[in-house]
Amino acid sequence: MKFPVAKKINIQKYEGGLSKIFGIKNPIKLSSNESALGSSPLAVKSFDRAKKKIFKYPDSNSVLLKKEISKKFKINSDQLIIGSGSDEIISFACQAFLKQGDEVVVPEFSFLMYRIYAKINGAKVVYAKEDNFKININNILKCISKKTKIVFIANPNNPTGTYLTTEELKILHKKLPSRVLLLIDDAYWEYVKANDYEPGLQIFKNAKNVLVTRTFSKIYGLASLRLGWGYASKSIISSLLNYKPPFNITAPAEFAGIAALKDAKWISKNIKHNSYWSNKIFKKLNEKKIKCNMPTTNFFLMRFDKKNQADDIFNNFAKSGVILRKMKSYNIKNSLRVTVGNPRECKLFIKLLEKFF
Ligand SMILES: Cc1ncc(COP(=O)(O)O)c(C=O)c1O
């Protein structure tokens, strides 16, 4: 009897930011763009309460969470789908809309899960060139063919930290054939202060071919609970729901999410913190002539000039107990990404910049 042969998929595995360094006790992890200040305190309280009932299955429709999202963002709750992280929503979209021979378009440097899920579902990934680490909408449009099914845009973009303006996104959407699904990933929207920026949800509330994804992993500080959501037309949501496991969201995650949404104080504290420290870090990076994005979100992509400098800096910071994110899997040469940490972490990061530059 022959064992079933596993399907062959030619994908590069996702490598998350490192969290351990051999020989270093309690290193500082600035490699995954997590919340600088921890978790929303209201969310933690709610999580604690919910843990008493973990012997019960969760609500498979996450009705209460959907109700809270719909109230907060003034959107229809039957146009929502909840995922185990926004990652899972991306996976549902690829499962629902892609088959062998289809194509997707992703910016040259973008969140790796778009290409991974697209490939798992048989699609060819077409990469649109960026301009100086910023998405170029004309290059995206040039990549569209009859086979294109999905265009993925994170705005602001990870790992480059740049963003498309409201105007640019509207033009892209207008010029895109309406048969193509535009996935706008709002993972970092809360951090952006620029006047010419609006999150995808705001711009595309009524669009027929747009799926917006959001996460609780960043500003709300709930990365480990795995909670995210998607918003689109009823028809798109109904297609995605076919792929949703019945109990993909745990009850403690759902209740923590509900409380986090209500924690306005927490959000504004985080935004203030990020704005203060990202400006400070930006100044220091400029002073040291390290090329990087503007302070837009909670991370910087640092680009170096000297040969192998990224590897040297990574090693030197690691030895000093600070973990940065290597950019090799993103194919960005001689670069590192750093997340804005808490005040102690930011001070140490700045001190190490002084030491090594
Ligand atoms: C652009 C972007 N989208 C989505 C995610 C994943 O979010 P989640 O934890 O909700 O799956 C990340 C995480 O780093 C991200 O950078």
Coordinates of all heavy atoms in Angstrom, one line a residue, residues 9 16 19-20 66 104 126 138 155 159 166 180-181 187 194 200 204 264-265 271 279 283 314 322:
I9 N 4.8 22.1 -3.3 CA 4.6 23.5 -3.5 C 6.0 24.2 -3.4 O 6.7 23.9 -2.4 CB 3.7 24.2 -2.4 CG1 2.9 23.1 -1.7 CG2 2.8 25.2 -3.1 CD1 2.1 23.7 -0.5
G16 N 9.4 34.2 11.0 CA 9.1 35.3 11.8 C 10.3 36.0 12.4 O 11.4 35.4 12.2
S19 N 13.2 35.6 18.3 CA 12.9 36.1 19.7 C 13.9 35.6 20.7 O 13.9 35.9 21.9 CB 11.5 35.6 20.1 OG 11.3 34.3 19.9
K20 N 14.9 34.8 20.2 CA 15.9 34.3 21.1 C 17.3 34.5 20.5 O 17.4 34.5 19.3 CB 15.7 32.8 21.3 CG 14.5 32.4 22.1 CD 14.5 30.9 22.5 CE 13.3 30.5 23.3 NZ 12.1 30.4 22.5
K66 N -18.2 40.9 16.3 CA -18.7 41.6 15.0 C -19.5 42.8 15.4 O -19.4 43.9 14.7 CB -19.5 40.6 14.2 CG -18.6 39.6 13.4 CD -19.5 38.9 12.5 CE -18.9 37.7 11.8 NZ -19.8 36.8 11.2
V104 N -1.5 36.6 -9.2 CA -1.7 37.7 -8.2 C -0.6 38.7 -8.4 O 0.5 38.4 -8.9 CB -1.7 37.2 -6.8 CG1 -2.8 36.1 -6.5 CG2 -0.3 36.8 -6.3
V126 N 3.2 37.8 -9.4 CA 3.8 38.8 -10.3 C 4.2 39.9 -9.4 O 3.4 40.5 -8.6 CB 2.9 39.2 -11.4 CG1 3.5 40.3 -12.3 CG2 2.4 38.0 -12.2
N138 N 1.4 52.7 -10.9 CA 1.4 52.4 -12.4 C 2.1 51.1 -12.7 O 1.7 50.3 -13.5 CB 2.2 53.5 -13.1 CG 1.3 54.8 -13.1 OD1 0.1 54.7 -13.2 ND2 2.0 55.9 -13.0
N155 N -1.1 48.9 3.5 CA -0.9 50.4 3.5 C -1.1 50.9 5.0 O -2.2 50.9 5.4 CB -2.0 51.0 2.6 CG -1.5 52.4 2.1 OD1 -0.3 52.6 2.0 ND2 -2.5 53.3 2.0
P159 N 7.6 45.5 4.6 CA 8.6 46.0 5.6 C 9.1 47.4 5.2 O 10.1 47.9 5.9 CB 9.7 45.0 5.5 CG 9.8 44.7 4.0 CD 8.4 44.7 3.6
T166 N -4.3 58.6 -0.1 CA -5.7 58.3 -0.4 C -6.0 58.4 -1.9 O -6.6 57.6 -2.6 CB -6.7 59.3 0.3 OG1 -6.4 59.2 1.7 CG2 -8.1 59.1 0.0
V180 N -11.0 42.2 -10.7 CA -9.9 41.9 -9.8 C -10.2 42.3 -8.4 O -10.7 43.3 -8.1 CB -8.6 42.7 -10.3 CG1 -7.5 42.5 -9.3 CG2 -8.2 42.2 -11.7
L181 N -9.9 41.4 -7.5 CA -10.1 41.7 -6.0 C -8.9 42.5 -5.5 O -7.7 42.1 -5.7 CB -10.2 40.4 -5.2 CG -10.2 40.5 -3.7 CD1 -11.5 41.2 -3.3 CD2 -10.1 39.2 -3.0
A187 N -3.1 46.8 8.5 CA -2.5 46.3 9.8 C -1.9 47.4 10.6 O -2.0 47.4 11.9 CB -1.4 45.3 9.5
A194 N -0.2 61.2 8.7 CA -0.1 62.0 7.5 C -1.5 62.4 7.1 O -2.5 61.6 7.1 CB 0.6 61.3 6.4
G200 N -7.7 51.9 4.4 CA -8.5 51.3 3.3 C -10.0 51.2 3.7 O -10.9 51.4 2.8
F204 N -12.8 52.5 1.1 CA -13.5 51.5 0.3 C -14.7 50.9 1.0 O -15.0 49.7 0.7 CB -12.5 50.5 -0.1 CG -11.4 51.0 -1.0 CD1 -10.1 51.0 -0.6 CD2 -11.7 51.6 -2.2 CE1 -9.0 51.5 -1.4 CE2 -10.7 52.1 -3.0 CZ -9.3 52.0 -2.6
A264 N -10.1 53.2 24.3 CA -9.6 54.3 23.5 C -8.4 55.0 24.2 O -7.5 55.5 23.5 CB -10.7 55.4 23.5
K265 N -8.3 54.9 25.5 CA -7.2 55.5 26.2 C -5.9 54.8 25.8 O -4.9 55.4 25.6 CB -7.5 55.2 27.7 CG -7.1 56.4 28.6 CD -7.7 56.3 30.0 CE -6.6 55.9 31.0 NZ -7.2 55.7 32.3
I271 N -0.4 55.6 20.4 CA -0.1 56.5 19.2 C 0.8 57.6 19.6 O 1.8 57.9 18.9 CB -1.5 57.1 18.7 CG1 -2.3 55.9 18.0 CG2 -1.2 58.2 17.6 CD1 -3.7 56.3 17.6
N279 N 9.8 59.6 16.0 CA 10.5 60.9 15.6 C 11.9 61.0 16.1 O 12.9 61.4 15.4 CB 9.7 62.1 16.0 CG 8.6 62.4 15.0 OD1 8.8 62.5 13.8 ND2 7.3 62.4 15.5
K283 N 15.3 60.9 13.7 CA 16.4 61.9 13.8 C 17.7 61.3 14.0 O 18.7 61.7 13.3 CB 16.1 62.8 15.1 CG 15.7 64.2 14.8 CD 15.6 64.9 16.1 CE 15.3 66.4 15.9 NZ 14.9 67.0 17.2
F314 N 23.5 43.6 12.7 CA 22.6 42.6 13.3 C 23.4 41.9 14.4 O 22.8 41.7 15.5 CB 22.1 41.6 12.3 CG 21.2 40.6 12.9 CD1 19.8 40.8 13.0 CD2 21.7 39.4 13.4 CE1 19.0 39.8 13.6 CE2 20.9 38.4 14.0 CZ 19.5 38.7 14.1
V322 N 19.8 43.0 21.6 CA 18.7 43.6 20.9 C 18.5 42.8 19.5 O 19.5 42.8 18.8 CB 18.9 45.1 20.6 CG1 17.8 45.7 19.7 CG2 18.9 45.9 21.9

